[in-house]
Amino acid sequence: MTSTSKRLLLGTNLKMYKTAKETAAYLSELRSLVDGLQDQLLLFVIPSFVALPSAVEETGDTILLGAQNMFYEEKGAFTGEISPAMLKELGGISIIEIGHSERRHIFGETSYDCNRKVLSAAAHQFIPLLCIGETAQERDYGITEEILAEQLKIGLYGLDPACPLWIAYEPVWAIGETGTAAAPDLVLRNHGTIRTILKEILGETGESVPILYGGSVSPSNLNDLLSLPDVDGLFIGRSAWQSGSFYQLIRQALPVWHAKWT
Ligand code: PGA
């Protein structure tokens, strides 16, 4: 992205960690902490499905809300799945997270599944947040570029370039307790690759699709990551799950973000 007036994009996926009550408390604290920063910050939180109804009450227009997954069909015999209409009815969901590493690697979702979800999310006026990233083995084999290309070309196949879209680059080996934060030069290279592929797929609009980095983001690597070209925001896990720590990260990030654009 090239505009100098854009807001910092920061968000967190709460995975399967907070109950509905815990999520509501977290959001209410976070909302009061970030009050007044809306013109500089686009903040989003992605809680569990059962926390979404109460989360909608807590976020107002200060925090965007997302769902961690969504099935692509309108309705039907799909036990355990959540439809676009169910999420639409809640009235405050903006983002659908698709293809997080845990969905791909624990639940066996393929890029073809992700593609159907991306198209369905876009058709229902949600922002698809497509997560992509290579495993350690794929990195070691030297096929990261091929993996990113495959995940993007299949995942975005048939998407109207005019539809809103966010991408999160999250190397599988960088995520979670056992993850190692990616070095800035690797993030620089892979975000550049992603940008090139997005332009190939989407034409000129590929230039303005936000690309977030995720995987072991913490106060110690935030500045270096956020300063990189083509890092349009951060998708944070553990470091953002306490409202106070998330707020500290936000305060740390804002001057870095402003410095990048002046
Ligand atoms: P982490 O999680 O920041 O705890 O590594 C990132 C993610 O899974 O999105």
Side-chain angles (χ1 to χ4, degrees):
M1 296 174 84
T2 48
S3 152
T4 50
S5 59
K6 64 187 161 56
R7 292 186 285 170
L8 169 61
L9 196 42
L10 283 185
T12 184
N13 161 21
L14 299 180
K15 305 195 181 184
M16 200 180 73
Y17 282 107
K18 288 188 194 290
T19 66
K21 276 188 189 158
E22 289 164 350
T23 303
Y26 167 82
L27 284 170
S28 131
E29 287 159 20
L30 192 59
R31 183 180 173 182
S32 51
L33 287 168
V34 301
D35 191 34
L37 296 178
Q38 289 92 320
D39 56 333
Q40 313 174 55
L41 180 69
L42 194 51
L43 190 62
F44 65 96
V45 174
I46 309 189
S48 74
F49 283 127
V50 293
L52 286 174
S54 52
V56 168
E57 305 296 315
E58 290 298 339
T59 45
D61 53 8
T62 316
I63 302 173
L64 294 183
L65 275 181
Q68 294 179 12
N69 188 18
M70 182 190 80
F71 198 55
Y72 43 79
E73 296 288 0
E74 298 295 316
K75 59 169 78 163
F78 302 108
T79 301
E81 293 296 322
I82 301 287
S83 76
M86 292 170 187
L87 294 171
K88 260 287 137 127
E89 193 185 66
L90 295 177
I93 313 299
S94 310
I95 302 155
I96 309 293
E97 182 179 2
I98 297 167
H100 184 275
S101 156
E102 289 142 22
R103 299 295 322 164
R104 291 179 191 261
H105 298 286
I106 302 174
F107 300 101
E109 281 185 18
T110 66
S111 288
Y112 298 97
D113 299 324
C114 293
N115 179 236
R116 297 182 79 169
K117 294 180 181 191
V118 165
L119 296 182
S120 179
H124 290 88
Q125 287 81 47
F126 294 115
I127 303 169
L129 169 53
L130 179 66
C131 303
I132 58 172
E134 78 287 1
T135 64
Q137 193 178 34
E138 289 160 346
R139 177 201 58 198
D140 295 346
Y141 283 176
I143 56 168
T144 297
E145 275 190 32
E146 287 86 342
I147 295 296
L148 297 178
E150 187 215 281
Q151 292 179 347
L152 287 169
K153 287 183 181 179
I154 298 173
L156 302 179
Y157 185 76
L159 181 70
D160 179 348
C163 289
L165 168 71
W166 296 353
I167 300 293
Y169 171 57
E170 303 201 295
V172 178
W173 48 268
I175 293 174
E177 297 279 337
T178 54
T180 327
D185 60 337
L186 181 139
V187 176
L188 175 69
R189 187 169 65 243
N190 292 343
H191 276 232
T193 301
I194 292 166
R195 179 67 70 210
T196 304
I197 300 166
L198 286 174
K199 286 195 273 187
E200 194 188 316
I201 301 171
L202 301 170
E204 218 174 286
T205 53
E207 185 67 64
S208 56
V209 170
I211 308 173
L212 313 182
Y213 171 78
S216 294
V217 173
S218 71
S220 61
N221 60 15
L222 178 139
N223 293 25
D224 289 342
L225 291 167
L226 202 54
S227 307
L228 298 170
D230 282 322
V231 172
D232 302 306
L234 298 170
F235 194 21
I236 309 166
R238 290 155 293 152
S239 302
W241 293 341
Q242 303 300 325
S243 54
S245 327
F246 197 7
Y247 180 62
Q248 288 309 315
L249 276 183
I250 293 166
R251 300 281 2 168
Q252 181 180 338
L254 281 170
V256 179
W257 186 246
H258 293 314
K260 179 168 167 173
W261 298 106
T262 48

